[in-house]
Amino acid sequence: MPPLTLRVNGHRRQVEVAPDTPLLWVLRDHLGLTGAKYGCGIAECGACTVHLDGRAELSCMVTASRAAGHEITTIEGLSADLSHPVQQAWIAEDVPECGYCQSGQIMTAAALLARSPSPSEREIDEAMAAVLCRCGTYQRIRRAVHRAAREAGP
Amino acid sequence: MTELSRPDRRTFLKIGAFAGGGLALAVYVPGRRPWDTTGATFQPNVFVRLGSDGMVTIWVGRVEMGQGVRTSLPMIVADELDADWSRVHVVQADAHPTKYGRQGTYGSTSVRNGAWLPLRRAGAAAREMLVGAAAARWGVDEAACRTDRGQVVHDASGRILSYGELADAAGRRPVPPDPRLKDPSEFRLIGSRLPLVDTPAHVAGRSVFGLDVRVPGMLHATVVHPPMFGGAVQHIDATRARDVPGVRHVLELSGGVAVVAEDTWTAFRGAEALDVTWKPGSFALGSADIAASLARLLEQPGEVARDDGDAETALRQAARRIEAIYRAPYLAHATMEPMNCTAHVRPDRCEIWAPTQNPQGTQEAAARLTGLPIERVTVHVTHLGCGWGRRSATDFVRDAVETSMKVGTPVQVAWTREEDMRHDYYRPTVCHHLEGAIGADGGLAALRVRIACTPISGGGGGGGSGVDRNSVEGVANLPYRVPNLFVDYCRPHIAVPTGYWRSVGASQNTFIVESFVDELAHAAGRDPLEFRLALLDHRPRLARVLELAAERSGWGTPLAGRARGVALVDNKGGLVAEVAEVSLEGGRLRVHRVTCVADCGRIIHPGIAESQMTGSVVCGLTAALYGEITLEGGRVVQGNFDDYPLLRFDEMPEVAVHLVRSDEEPGGVGEPAVPPIAPAVTNAIFALSGRRVRSLPIRPGNLSGA
Ligand code: FES
Ligand code: FES
């Protein structure tokens, strides 16, 4: 297998994987970045959400070869010090319960706010409906998204 | 012991700066583990250790799955110790047969029924020893000293010594067998909303769940189990699986076939390429067969679970009598993180990393499987991506231990979502026959409930006799005053594995009895809330909860296009009433608002309790709207979230939680808000449409006429 070069969290990383390997497993099992989670593998749960060039993508659905050439950001690279407004809002609202879905929630919210800094309830519903939370933290997620929008605002 | 996050110096020092202290993780400096403190340390018991640097390390024996024990339990210890919370570091205890008491974390038992007392004593003993050490050093009376956030203070002389300075001397004093516990009025941390210990690591993506464990030399595996219950491997053709580049081994295990590979994805692909011939067992029923067999069972009397008064006569003589059949389906737990376990078995020892609700059971299972003595088995407990009772079983541990035994290296076994969905210990499907009588006074004169439910205790699958207590939970202990109450239990013998599902028997039984009580209220021509209240004059706390629910929800005030329904439960030490507000527009059911009032005794952390209530409403609503596992030919049909949907963000009702202030002993908070939501919603549907839902999940198709 010829090595594949990926740009992850600002670094060039070489991996030797079958080109059709989903990005999720490249990140988790080859690059040691376990922040993105496996929940379903079929684009239903959103636990695996990462950014490709700043857009939220389900890493279980993106092959390694398709990810090559794009800027990949995982929760580990969202900020070096939890300073991202979404992370700050998540801390302020103490959103997580078990925590398993939360990197997917945060990456989805961060991508939403990047493209729509003051999202409407409807935009929030549409974006966040992509990520399941079995613990049911949705109410605090909504509060945290509003807080992040407010505190990152002009 | 386990550090449950991947430490990173920069991150954690920064978190401290952001949060302005108050976070246990803020003071964690990698490379110098607090529990490895060199020099003087003071450890009066297994739960707490104090370093001469003033760092307090607190061990948590229970497991963390989102219910907040890694914050709430250390708060209990730290409060009695009067520790400086910003200097507290929390460590997840490994499994031990006795050291930490019961570690199994299910039934909302981490705090209630006195479970908080050993933690309080642990903190209080340490505090007394520190006070003793300070008093001795100053040559003053202990009674003249007090403690304040990590310091001993002698007010008369204005002298102060920090706990760190006293650690060495305190460690040389005898451990008081019966330390004085605080009067609740002295609690400083208990009852407060401290930031949760694990939030920063979760938000950084650094929390270590079972699937995030990385051990040097580890291989990744997945296991394919027989698709039909009671099935077994007949023949394995591994040719195509072995052809997948990166697949290392294909192994037959006691419970299925393992594919071991270099990464998880390759293991999954190898498993897909496997060609296994299964030998079916004798069980080949489908859902319709099971429903019919439960209905048949109800024709014969069962084992008596409760018998007050004379229900038979009261029913015969009643002014008004109604009866109904209710059903609830099998449910999967569908934890967000699928079943997994990492094991490294060597000839002389075994090490396990597991997201388990049952650390001690995991240790015992591994000892049994490897033949090693229990002290040679180490079980590290990771974060759990939900538990819901599923992780009290050890089937996934067995898979990992057997696989590692065969390959000799550390192995992480990860089940696919589909394997997880199809190899659960399901909440059993049930069928109940209910009869009720309204007396001449318009009150509830008699109730007779016959329950058919595969035993929940012991993994189901048939066998056993007598009343299964879990299966009658919520009915046999019905909180209402009913003069004539008869409950009997019929035991089906069905090979589908069953187990504990959040709030256990009450999760289905409350839907059923609280719907039927609603039917009785309507039959009596009375308001359902007032009808219930009249049956609770012997339970003032529960009556108060119901009254508050009425107040907070605006019960009785008009609503355009919507209706309210109410239900309540007494479960796992929590008293909860919920009022749901629903609409049915164009046949589309929408739950807009839920008022949840709970009296769970003294609350350790109100934020956690509110979160548990809201999450429980989501859990119960998911089940009410969507939850259903069906069988065909002895196999589970559903496999993933496309056919076993969960409630999504845009369907979330507004949930208003009200916690009753209470000085009673703490009760459970993780489960009691699950049971009332389904009947609150279906009772609201009745109020709105006159259609009574007698079977879950709620579907336009099963909204039968009243
Ligand atoms: S794992 Fe990618 S959407 Fe669920
Ligand atoms: S916090 Fe547990 S699944 Fe979302």
Side-chain angles (χ1 to χ4, degrees), chain B residues 342-407:
Chain B
T342 305
H344 188 190
V345 183
R346 281 172 275 203
D348 60 338
R349 64 201 156 107
C350 168
E351 195 167 8
I352 289 174
W353 296 260
T356 172
Q357 288 178 253
N358 188 358
Q360 290 152 331
T362 294
Q363 195 179 27
E364 285 157 24
R368 222 168 26 243
L369 289 163
T370 56
L372 290 165
I374 203 130
E375 62 276 9
R376 296 250 135 210
V377 178
T378 305
V379 177
H380 308 291
V381 179
T382 66
H383 273 290
L384 283 63
C386 314
W388 316 140
R390 174 63 180 89
R391 296 185 206 273
S392 53
T394 56
D395 47 344
F396 50 95
V397 175
R398 179 199 61 210
D399 282 353
V401 169
E402 288 184 7
T403 307
S404 178
M405 277 171 81
K406 290 197 184 215
V407 302

Side-chain angles (χ1 to χ4, degrees), chain B residues 345-607:
Chain B
V345 183
R346 281 172 275 203
D348 60 338
R349 64 201 156 107
C350 168
E351 195 167 8
I352 289 174
W353 296 260
T356 172
Q357 288 178 253
N358 188 358
Q360 290 152 331
T362 294
Q363 195 179 27
E364 285 157 24
R368 222 168 26 243
L369 289 163
T370 56
L372 290 165
I374 203 130
E375 62 276 9
R376 296 250 135 210
V377 178
T378 305
V379 177
H380 308 291
V381 179
T382 66
H383 273 290
L384 283 63
C386 314
W388 316 140
R390 174 63 180 89
R391 296 185 206 273
S392 53
T394 56
D395 47 344
F396 50 95
V397 175
R398 179 199 61 210
D399 282 353
V401 169
E402 288 184 7
T403 307
S404 178
M405 277 171 81
K406 290 197 184 215
V407 302
T409 63
V411 180
Q412 179 169 95
V413 168
W415 290 15
T416 61
R417 170 59 61 195
E418 288 77 9
E419 284 292 314
D420 182 283
M421 196 70 83
R422 294 180 176 141
H423 300 279
D424 200 340
Y425 290 86
Y426 302 90
R427 185 190 82 175
T429 180
V430 301
C431 186
H432 295 4
H433 179 212
L434 302 97
E435 297 161 276
I438 301 298
D441 61 348
L444 181 49
L447 181 62
R448 185 157 65 183
V449 186
R450 179 165 294 165
I451 294 175
C453 171
T454 313
I456 298 169
S457 336
S465 62
V467 175
D468 176 51
R469 283 285 141 201
N470 285 303
S471 295
V472 300
E473 184 186 14
V475 187
N477 59 335
L478 194 70
Y480 299 119
R481 186 179 38 71
V482 187
N484 303 290
L485 174 62
F486 184 85
V487 181
D488 62 347
Y489 167 72
C490 304
R491 179 178 291 253
H493 297 278
I494 300 168
V496 179
T498 52
Y500 303 97
W501 192 95
R502 197 174 190 182
S503 79
V504 195
S507 78
Q508 68 270 14
N509 289 339
T510 303
F511 157 65
I512 293 171
V513 291
E514 277 292 81
S515 296
F516 194 66
V517 165
D518 219 70
E519 292 201 44
L520 286 160
H522 287 285
R526 290 171 62 185
D527 174 82
L529 198 143
E530 177 263 330
F531 183 76
R532 285 174 171 83
L533 210 48
L535 303 174
L536 289 172
D537 49 4
H538 64 310
R539 299 287 309 267
R541 273 177 80 190
L542 190 51
R544 180 74 194 126
V545 165
L546 185 58
E547 279 166 354
L548 275 170
E551 259 168 62
R552 302 261 161 168
S553 64
W555 186 266
T557 59
L559 275 177
R562 296 185 187 177
R564 298 185 188 92
V566 66
L568 59 79
V569 80
D570 171 357
N571 183 245
K572 314 278 182 289
L575 310 173
V576 180
E578 288 167 14
V579 174
E581 216 174 279
V582 312
S583 67
L584 274 166
E585 263 160 47
R588 207 177 109 78
L589 170 66
R590 179 100 208 181
V591 181
H592 298 271
R593 209 167 172 268
V594 176
T595 306
C596 169
V597 178
D599 179 348
C600 302
R602 181 177 301 284
I603 298 288
I604 308 300
H605 189 300

Side-chain angles (χ1 to χ4, degrees), chain B residues 48 107 202 370:
Chain B
V48 58
H202 284 331
T370 56

Side-chain angles (χ1 to χ4, degrees), chain A residues 22 25 28-30 37-40 42 44 81-82 87 94 97-98 100 129 134-135 138-140 142, chain B residues 18 65-66 196 199 202-203 209 211-212 214 263-265 333-334 388 417 611-612 615 640 647-648 655:
Chain A
W25 299 108
R28 293 184 50 82
D29 292 353
H30 294 269
K37 304 297 191 216
Y38 166 67
C40 69
I42 61 162
E44 283 287 332
D81 51 9
L82 293 182
Q87 289 171 311
D94 249 337
E97 275 200 16
C98 82
Y100 194 77
R134 182 63 159 142
C135 295
Y138 300 133
Q139 194 152 290
R140 283 195 304 286
R142 186 182 296 281
Chain B
F18 285 123
M65 46 194 160
L196 302 187
T199 295
H202 284 331
V203 168
F209 292 85
L211 285 172
D212 303 333
R214 296 291 177 264
D263 62 28
T264 314
W265 173 245
H333 294 82
W388 316 140
R417 170 59 61 195
S611 175
Q612 286 300 301
N640 209 317
L647 193 86
R648 287 185 185 272
V655 180

